[in-house]
Amino acid sequence: MTGPTVRGLWLAIATLTAGIVAGTAGLLAWAGGMNVPTAILTGGGAFAGTLLLILTAVRFTAGEPQ
């Protein structure tokens, strides 16, 4: 789980998933009546939160015991 190829794969999966969540959150915010800049900020916050959550979960489940 510590090889550079595996780590890169996990990063790619996490980034793609966060991008999908961000796009969905932005579209839902815009459809809910927010203006475009606010919807973009909502998507950005969703992207950052999702990426951090996934990478933290991967590190927790596959990390070496202390």
Side-chain angles (χ1 to χ4, degrees):
M1 190 67 191
T2 60
T5 304
V6 176
R7 293 179 84 164
L9 182 62
W10 275 113
L11 182 61
I13 291 170
T15 303
L16 288 173
T17 304
I20 292 169
V21 170
T24 303
L27 285 174
L28 287 174
W30 177 68
M34 289 185 176
N35 56 11
V36 175
T38 306
I40 291 171
L41 288 174
T42 301
F47 178 84
T50 303
L51 188 63
L52 289 174
L53 179 66
I54 292 173
L55 291 179
T56 301
V58 168
R59 182 167 172 96
F60 176 74
T61 57
E64 297 178 15
Q66 298 292 330

